[in-house]
């Protein structure tokens, strides 16, 4: 449901919906889509530390070379080869200009510093859910977070790398009899991504189980933050507004013993399989649930008659209306147009403006 760092593009312009393959069991008249740009890299928001750097535009970029580059740290930077569609759960996105994997904090610091020294735009990616990349690719460096350390500090207390699969940790901790993250099972993200967006379900949230968080700044400085110093909200964390944040690197969780933890984890997973299209290419829930309405985004979409709505290769799931599926050939433009159509239709019917996760 999330990447390690997940920002939605804030640029907006109005565009007409082209006459394409748009259909649904219930005919609706598509309204013009606004607030999306196909030329943007999603979910990238360049670090404010890098705003003064010159970055070549994506449209003038050439992706035909495939030679690797190596910096003085020994990290292998693959150039103009890695497809972002291979790194995201939606399976959408063109090539990135540079790609590198990091497996510990030292390598992550080196990669970030190298990008800054080279005046290179960068973003750090986890499991690649809650991400939509442009088919043009990304003219910068994608740093894939593979920091998967797992330390048991004491009973119920775990220090976990930000690149560790969140669902794997949820299953493991529940199997060991600890409660707090049973909902994580079936969530296709990383520990860092879950923390960054305060992922949650079934009346549980990531923040409630956190004891402390380790981060790296854009200047390569490592910091330790205590949970009591931080304010979290629904699908939000202070990291989303932290100007100098490069990445979360590790999270320490403090969980409570429970005899029913494993049973609850299995129940949550079974419910996901019944209600969500887990076997298809999606990004998890596309929209946040509206606040103080008592109704979910999925219910609003379904009541608008939008299940099965399709634009090109992108479709609103017939199983869960807040899951949008890549049927195998979806482009970034297909998905953006579908998101725009759904937002417009729900707004016209209910007066509610859905917000993307």
């Amino acid at each position: 449901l999330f990447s390690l760092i997940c920002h939605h593009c804030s640029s907006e312009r109005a565009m007409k919906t082209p006459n394409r393959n748009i259909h649904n069991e219930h005919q609706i008249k598509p309204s013009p889509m606004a607030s999306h740009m196909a030329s943007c890299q999603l979910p990238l928001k360049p670090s404010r530390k890098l705003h003064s750097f010159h970055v070549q535009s994506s449209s003038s970029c050439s992706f035909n070379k495939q030679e690797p580059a190596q910096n003085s740290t020994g990290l292998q930077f693959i150039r103009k080869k890695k497809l972002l569609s291979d790194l995201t759960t939606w399976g959408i996105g063109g090539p990135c200009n540079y790609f590198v994997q990091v497996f510990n904090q030292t390598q992550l610091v080196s990669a970030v510093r190298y990008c800054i020294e080279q005046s290179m735009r960068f973003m750090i990616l986890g499991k690649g859910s809650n991400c939509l990349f442009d088919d043009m690719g990304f003219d910068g460096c994608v740093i894939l977070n593979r920091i998967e350390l797992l330390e048991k500090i004491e009973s119920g207390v775990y220090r976990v790398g930000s690149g560790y699969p969140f669902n794997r940790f949820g299953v493991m901790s529940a199997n060991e009899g600890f409660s707090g993250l049973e909902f994580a099972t079936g969530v296709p993200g990383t520990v860092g991504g879950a923390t960054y967006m305060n992922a949650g379900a079934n009346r549980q949230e990531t923040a409630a189980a956190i004891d402390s968080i380790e981060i790296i700044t854009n200047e390569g400085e490592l910091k330790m933050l205590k949970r009591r110093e931080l304010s979290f909200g629904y699908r939000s964390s202070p990291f989303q507004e932290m100007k100098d944040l490069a990445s979360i690197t590790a999270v320490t969780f403090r969980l409570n013993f429970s005899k029913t933890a494993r049973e609850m984890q299995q129940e949550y997973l079974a419910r996901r399989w019944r209600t969500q299209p887990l076997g298809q290419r999606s990004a998890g829930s596309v929209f946040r649930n509206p606040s103080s309405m008592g109704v979910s985004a999925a219910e609003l979409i379904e009541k608008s008659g939008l299940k099965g709505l399709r634009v090109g290769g992108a479709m609103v799931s017939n199983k869960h209306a807040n899951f949008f599926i890549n049927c195998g050939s979806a482009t970034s433009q297909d998905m953006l147009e579908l998101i725009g159509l759904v937002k417009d239709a729900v707004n016209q019917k209910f007066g509610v403006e859905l917000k993307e996760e």
Side-chain angles (χ1 to χ4, degrees):
L1 286 171
F2 30 77
S3 67
L4 178 55
I5 291 189
C6 182
H7 293 294
H8 284 286
C9 177
S10 59
S11 303
E12 297 187 350
R13 74 175 180 186
M15 65 171 64
K16 294 181 180 179
T17 304
N19 295 323
R20 317 189 40 167
N21 178 22
I22 302 177
H23 55 85
N24 181 271
E25 295 174 358
H26 310 284
Q27 292 292 325
I28 69 168
K29 182 180 179 181
S31 55
M33 185 197 89
S35 78
H36 295 287
M37 290 181 66
S39 60
C40 291
Q41 286 80 29
L42 299 178
L44 174 73
K45 181 169 76 174
S47 162
R48 301 191 184 195
K49 293 281 186 181
L50 306 179
H51 277 180
S52 61
F53 296 152
H54 173 72
V55 181
Q56 182 184 12
S57 67
S58 296
S59 59
S60 61
C61 215
S62 172
F63 292 104
N64 55 356
K65 296 182 181 179
Q66 300 186 1
E67 70 274 16
Q70 192 166 355
N71 71 349
S72 58
T73 66
L75 289 173
Q76 191 83 359
F77 285 76
I78 306 301
R79 189 178 182 194
K80 303 177 190 271
K81 181 178 180 180
K82 192 67 176 179
L83 291 175
L84 295 168
S85 58
D86 295 336
L87 302 175
T88 61
T89 58
W90 246 333
I92 297 174
C96 52
N97 208 15
Y98 287 92
F99 171 78
V100 65
Q101 298 186 74
V102 295
F103 296 88
N104 55 54
Q105 288 184 345
T106 301
Q107 290 182 342
L108 179 56
V109 170
S110 297
V112 169
R113 285 178 175 169
Y114 178 74
C115 289
I116 293 175
E117 289 168 1
Q118 300 299 315
S119 301
M120 188 188 304
R121 193 163 51 157
F122 70 93
M123 72 169 299
I124 301 170
L125 192 67
K127 287 292 184 180
S129 51
N130 264 21
C131 292
L132 176 59
F133 284 104
D134 198 303
D135 296 311
M136 290 291 292
F138 172 50
D139 185 18
C141 182
V142 171
I143 302 171
L144 184 64
N145 179 4
R146 300 289 303 278
I147 304 174
E148 298 184 5
L149 66 92
L150 177 63
E151 300 175 3
K152 297 181 182 180
I153 307 300
E154 58 184 80
S155 179
V157 181
Y158 304 85
R159 179 173 176 259
V160 191
S162 54
Y164 197 92
F166 192 50
N167 57 353
R168 188 193 304 169
F169 179 62
V171 171
M172 185 215 71
S173 58
N175 285 343
E176 292 190 355
F178 294 100
S179 177
L181 296 175
E182 292 95 329
F183 78 93
T185 180
V187 175
T190 59
V191 163
T195 302
Y196 182 85
M197 71 172 292
N198 190 20
N202 306 112
R203 297 177 297 280
Q204 290 183 330
E205 286 187 330
T206 305
I210 291 175
D211 184 73
S212 63
I213 302 168
E214 298 164 49
I215 67 169
I216 175 178
T217 69
N218 284 329
E219 296 178 346
E221 180 185 1
L222 292 170
K223 292 183 178 180
M224 167 81 78
L225 303 173
K226 286 292 185 180
R227 168 65 182 89
R228 61 178 177 270
E229 303 169 349
L230 305 170
S231 177
F232 288 80
Y234 172 67
R235 301 299 177 269
S236 69
S237 76
F239 303 106
Q240 295 168 4
E241 303 299 326
M242 198 172 290
K243 297 178 181 180
D244 65 341
L245 175 73
S247 177
I248 296 168
T249 59
V251 182
T252 298
F253 295 95
R254 187 175 294 274
L255 306 176
N256 299 314
F257 178 78
S258 171
K259 293 181 179 179
T260 62
R262 187 169 184 271
E263 179 183 344
M264 292 301 296
Q265 174 262 315
Q266 292 177 332
E267 180 182 323
Y268 291 160
L269 181 59
R271 185 185 304 167
R272 283 187 184 276
W273 277 107
R274 288 195 307 270
T275 61
Q276 298 176 3
L278 297 186
Q280 296 176 283
R281 303 212 73 161
S282 78
S285 293
V286 173
F287 298 107
R288 305 179 186 199
N289 291 324
S291 59
S292 67
M293 279 196 65
V295 62
S296 68
E299 290 176 280
L300 293 175
I301 297 169
E302 183 171 355
K303 289 178 180 178
S304 297
L306 301 178
K307 273 190 170 182
L309 179 66
R310 183 164 175 168
V311 178
M315 185 182 77
V316 177
S317 170
N318 282 304
K319 194 170 187 179
H320 191 301
N322 202 15
F323 280 61
F324 294 5
I325 305 301
N326 177 0
C327 297
S329 59
T331 65
S332 57
Q333 184 62 28
D334 290 341
M335 200 61 72
L336 285 172
E337 290 178 17
L338 184 61
I339 290 170
L341 288 172
V342 170
K343 289 181 72 172
D344 286 347
V346 169
N347 196 15
Q348 288 176 17
K349 187 173 180 67
F350 297 103
V352 176
E353 185 175 351
L354 294 176
K355 305 289 184 182
E356 293 89 345
E357 273 198 4

